[in-house]
């Protein structure tokens, strides 16, 4: 990691390294909101893939993972939850579209709301919150986001719009720089 990255993320790392349990979502969100960070500060972690969005591990600790996610135009996460973790993400470049979902009485999932977040915005979710993150910008614009998970996100619940299938998606850090989720 270069000195610029360390400087921009140092307040966050100090906080995260002091954790002995999962932090409250509001507290983590506030800390990510206060970061004085630009996309250039994490340039060494900005890597894209044509196969799917890229998860690039910046730093891991006993109670967290910090990643830079890079999204080519049109790429989306699956519909997922955070299975026991809190997540605060910051949009560093581009416009992120988050779509929220809920369960229907027959066990399917349905979209309830979509909203766009510009660079500098912070989005937070936890546990069984169902959502999908997408890069749906005009043209070929890329999206870069900084994600903080606590505890480290090891498994996500994964859901389908077309049936009641539910799966589990492992977040294997040894494959964090591979395309897809």
């Amino acid at each position: 990691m270069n000195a610029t990255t360390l400087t921009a993320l140092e307040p966050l790392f100090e906080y995260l390294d002091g954790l002995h349990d999962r932090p409250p979502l509001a507290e983590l969100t506030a800390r990510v909101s206060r970061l004085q960070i630009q996309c250039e500060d994490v340039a060494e972690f900005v890597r894209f893939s044509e196969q799917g969005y890229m998860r690039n591990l910046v730093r891991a600790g006993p109670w967290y993972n910090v990643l830079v996610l890079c999204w080519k135009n049109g790429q989306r996460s699956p519909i997922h939850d955070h299975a026991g973790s809190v997540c605060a993400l910051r949009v560093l470049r581009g416009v992120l579209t988050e779509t929220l979902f809920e369960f229907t009485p027959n066990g399917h999932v349905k979209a309830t709301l979509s909203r766009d977040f510009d660079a500098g915005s912070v989005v937070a979710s936890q546990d069984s919150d169902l959502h999908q993150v997408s890069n749906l910008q005009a043209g070929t614009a890329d999206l870069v986001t900084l994600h903080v998970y606590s505890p480290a996100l090891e498994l996500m619940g994964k859901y389908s719009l077309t049936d009641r299938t539910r799966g589990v998606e492992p977040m294997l850090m040894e494959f964090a720089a591979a395309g897809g989720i």
Side-chain angles (χ1 to χ4, degrees), residues 28-48:
L28 182 62
T29 303
R31 292 199 180 256
V32 171
S33 295
R34 287 194 299 266
L35 283 176
Q36 298 297 312
I37 189 165
Q38 302 296 320
C39 196
E40 297 76 30
D41 297 323
V42 293
E44 67 189 279
F45 301 101
V46 176
R47 295 184 295 272
F48 294 88

Side-chain angles (χ1 to χ4, degrees), residues 97-130:
T97 299
E98 180 189 39
T99 304
L100 304 178
F101 295 84
E102 66 182 26
F103 289 104
T104 64
N106 70 0
H108 285 269
V109 295
K110 71 174 181 177
T112 58
L113 174 72
S114 283
R115 53 194 178 175
D116 293 335
F117 294 92
D118 295 325
S121 298
V122 175
V123 180
S125 62
Q126 63 185 344
D127 300 320
S128 60
D129 295 342
L130 296 177

Side-chain angles (χ1 to χ4, degrees), residues 2 7 15 50 57 65 69 72 98 111 123 131 134 141 144 150 162 169-170 180:
N2 66 35
T7 301
Y15 166 71
E50 295 299 326
L57 182 64
N65 281 340
L69 276 63
K72 300 290 283 174
E98 180 189 39
V123 180
H131 75 157
S134 307
V144 178
S150 181
T162 58
E169 187 74 36

